Amino acid sequence: NAGVTQTPKFQVLKTGQSMTLQCAQDMNHEYMSWYRQDPGMGLRLIHYSVGAGITDQGEVPNGYNVSRSTTEDFPLRLLSAAPSQTSVYFCASSYRGHYGYTFGSGTRLTVV
Amino acid sequence: GESVGLHLPTLSVQEGDNSIINCAYSNSASDYFIWYKQESGKGPQFIIDIRSNMDKRQGQRVTVLLNKTVKHLSLQIAATQPGDSAVYFCAENINYGQNFVFGPGTRLSVLP
């Protein structure tokens, strides 16, 4: 099993550009989430999904969209990148919250 | 000793000593707790979990203690090794739900 795979690992965007961060898991987990991590802070929840076709907002959803068309994939879209979105983004999945999340290795995004 | 730095609280311990990392959680309704370890450049990794019906749980070289009265968690690492150097996060959850709330983290530095 590959676990949770995130691509790309690094990305630089110009202000106003859009892009999609990819996330895929092969563990048949129902729950998937996107977190952002800023220096000196814990992880903050952006969006989450409890199953295919179901998504909901977390603590910091503004400027991001998600969709969950399959159990395996949970892409995060930045609609119009802003410097405040410079961060490390982690995708995570779990089996209904049990044993917590399995995290991907992260995408380091810089918006200039 | 433990000190509060500009970003993360830091705990420095000598190799071979025991480490104690503390966490205050926020929601008295939380009933499931996890400790994560995050090494530089990687995603958080599950270490150990505990339900609210327990006060203590032991793993390999790690012990988690839960004090619900004061909403406090601690992670004890026995015989700390250089490979234990990382940032440690506690996370709280209600009823194996979707939303884990993460603490700000503590950086553990192991001195030779």
Side-chain angles (χ1 to χ4, degrees):
Chain A
N1 288 348
V4 178
T5 302
Q6 289 185 239
T7 56
K9 292 190 183 301
F10 300 95
Q11 183 70 49
V12 178
L13 290 178
K14 294 182 179 178
T15 298
Q17 286 185 317
S18 62
M19 79 159 294
T20 299
L21 279 61
Q22 302 291 343
C23 176
Q25 54 94 6
D26 60 0
M27 299 170 284
N28 202 31
H29 284 170
E30 293 173 307
Y31 287 10
M32 295 187 76
S33 297
W34 277 101
Y35 286 85
R36 62 177 287 173
Q37 185 175 37
D38 299 299
M41 299 181 68
L43 293 103
R44 292 185 291 167
L45 182 65
I46 305 171
H47 286 284
Y48 64 95
S49 168
V50 297
I54 305 170
T55 63
D56 208 341
Q57 296 181 349
E59 179 185 355
V60 288
N62 292 341
Y64 308 95
N65 273 357
V66 292
S67 60
R68 184 97 180 270
S69 57
T70 66
T71 299
E72 294 78 20
D73 299 300
F74 191 44
L76 177 72
R77 281 180 286 277
L78 278 71
L79 308 174
S80 177
S84 61
Q85 294 178 304
T86 293
S87 188
V88 181
Y89 291 84
F90 288 100
C91 179
S93 71
S94 76
Y95 175 67
R96 298 182 182 178
H98 288 256
Y99 308 115
Y101 281 110
T102 299
F103 283 85
S105 57
T107 294
R108 184 174 296 275
L109 175 68
T110 302
V111 182
V112 297
Chain B
E2 186 172 24
S3 63
V4 177
L6 288 177
H7 298 291
L8 286 177
T10 300
L11 176 65
S12 298
V13 299
Q14 292 292 138
E15 182 178 353
D17 287 351
N18 297 334
S19 302
I20 300 176
I21 301 171
N22 296 305
C23 176
Y25 64 92
S26 58
N27 191 341
S28 57
S30 294
D31 59 5
Y32 181 52
F33 306 88
I34 297 177
W35 279 99
Y36 287 91
K37 173 186 180 182
Q38 186 177 25
E39 296 175 282
S40 181
K42 297 183 179 180
Q45 293 177 288
F46 174 95
I47 301 174
I48 191 168
D49 60 354
I50 188 168
R51 290 292 317 253
S52 60
N53 60 354
M54 303 173 69
D55 297 322
K56 178 180 179 179
R57 190 155 189 238
Q58 288 184 290
Q60 187 175 16
R61 280 202 310 120
V62 294
T63 301
V64 55
L65 298 178
L66 174 62
N67 184 330
K68 296 180 288 293
T69 302
V70 294
K71 294 190 289 185
H72 183 268
L73 274 171
S74 67
L75 177 70
Q76 301 178 359
I77 304 173
T80 310
Q81 302 169 359
D84 295 326
S85 292
V87 176
Y88 290 81
F89 294 96
C90 65
E92 59 185 293
N93 181 276
I94 298 175
N95 198 26
Y96 293 126
Q98 170 67 18
N99 192 2
F100 279 89
V101 176
F102 287 79
T106 296
R107 185 180 304 281
L108 176 65
S109 177
V110 181
L111 307 174

